[in-house]
Amino acid sequence: MTKRSVSTEVKRNDGRAKHGNTPRHVAIIMDGNGRWAEKHGLPRISGHEEGAKAVRAVLRAAKEAGVKYLTLYAFSVENWSRPKSEIDGLMRLLRRFVQKNEDDLHKNQIRLRIIGRTEDLPEAVQQDLAGAMERTAHYSDSQLILALSYGGRAEITDAARRMAARVKAGELEPGDITESAFAEHLYAPDIPDPDLMIRTSGEYRLSNFLLWQLSYAEFYVTDVLWPDFREADFQKAMKAYAERERRFGDVR
Ligand code: FPP
């Protein structure tokens, strides 16, 4: 048996190219809104508002580039500890974003998905999101996934809890818990793992984002603050990705 034919349990994205292609799935940590606001002498919420413009620009650029899945870290489980006024402002902004951009989602045939502990979101936000998700559920070409009240450890814990309940109910044996069976219990198991993770504002941290799914992702960090991030910045990240060689733990 040659080294390459040894089977491995590591879940790979089908058809994932090792280099040179457009990433099928891009995940973004949209960081630097607060610093942008401070730099401009504005309240923090202005940074988030300008950040929403960057979201629209990136949505266009991703569609243009042929990226099929775009996951944005919009609100983490840790963000609940921010001042109430900032949380309320972010929730208002989120509702406004969904209301204002649903037409564009339809025009571009983009399906909206949410991952995270969405039950923790205010009722009105949950309702708006549920409506937009339902109305775009039939689009299969491109997806916008918003991570809301999301934490990578929370997601893994939730998956473990669901599996444990199934073992207790006699539906699964402990020996059935393989990597791929576990992945089936994550929030959106049908979505392939991200190929590229972009983080803005120059921080080299994962911040509890997609801990399971980013195992083999390429990372791209830029000093640009999220509210300043536009199509050209996204295209730079695409170019950098195209020059990477992905080996997935294999040899050349
Ligand atoms: C991190 O910047 C950003 C957030 C916690 C929120 C991200 C939200 C948006 C971009 C708003 C719009 C999003 C959607 C989907 C409508 P930070 O506040 O931690 O910045 P700092 O590190 O400079 O303080």
Side-chain angles (χ1 to χ4, degrees), residues 49-207:
E49 280 164 3
E50 201 61 26
K53 292 184 194 163
V55 169
R56 274 203 298 278
V58 164
L59 202 48
R60 276 195 299 273
K63 179 84 188 166
E64 179 98 343
V67 170
K68 289 202 175 298
Y69 303 88
L70 179 68
T71 300
L72 304 178
Y73 204 5
F75 194 87
S76 70
V77 282
E78 291 81 12
N79 288 152
W80 290 115
S81 61
R82 292 196 175 196
K84 186 176 181 307
S85 57
E86 184 173 347
I87 294 173
D88 290 348
L90 274 166
M91 294 298 143
R92 262 197 304 276
L93 187 56
L94 194 58
R95 290 191 72 189
R96 215 183 316 143
F97 177 85
V98 173
Q99 286 160 4
K100 274 179 67 178
N101 290 282
E102 195 177 322
D103 281 354
D104 272 359
L105 295 180
H106 291 294
K107 215 179 296 163
N108 293 299
Q109 309 209 325
I110 298 172
R111 177 178 177 190
L112 177 70
R113 308 271 299 265
I114 308 293
I115 53 171
R117 290 185 171 164
T118 45
E119 65 278 13
D120 295 340
L121 297 168
E123 195 59 44
V125 177
Q126 287 188 45
Q127 276 176 18
D128 283 2
L129 291 170
M133 280 195 288
E134 205 181 302
R135 290 187 291 274
T136 59
H138 55 291
Y139 300 130
S140 52
D141 215 30
S142 309
Q143 301 197 12
L144 168 65
I145 303 113
L146 298 181
L148 290 168
S149 192
Y150 178 86
R153 288 183 175 181
E155 179 175 26
I156 291 168
T157 306
D158 289 349
R161 201 177 287 153
R162 277 199 289 275
M163 282 206 110
R166 293 188 62 195
V167 170
K168 195 175 173 196
E171 294 171 27
L172 283 178
E173 292 292 327
D176 295 333
I177 303 177
T178 60
E179 284 188 19
S180 57
F182 190 86
E184 284 300 314
H185 293 76
L186 296 170
Y187 294 141
D190 59 301
I191 297 176
D193 291 345
D195 304 291
L196 173 67
M197 194 280 278
I198 300 175
R199 181 164 188 151
T200 57
S201 92
E203 309 284 355
Y204 288 76
R205 280 194 296 275
L206 211 42
S207 299

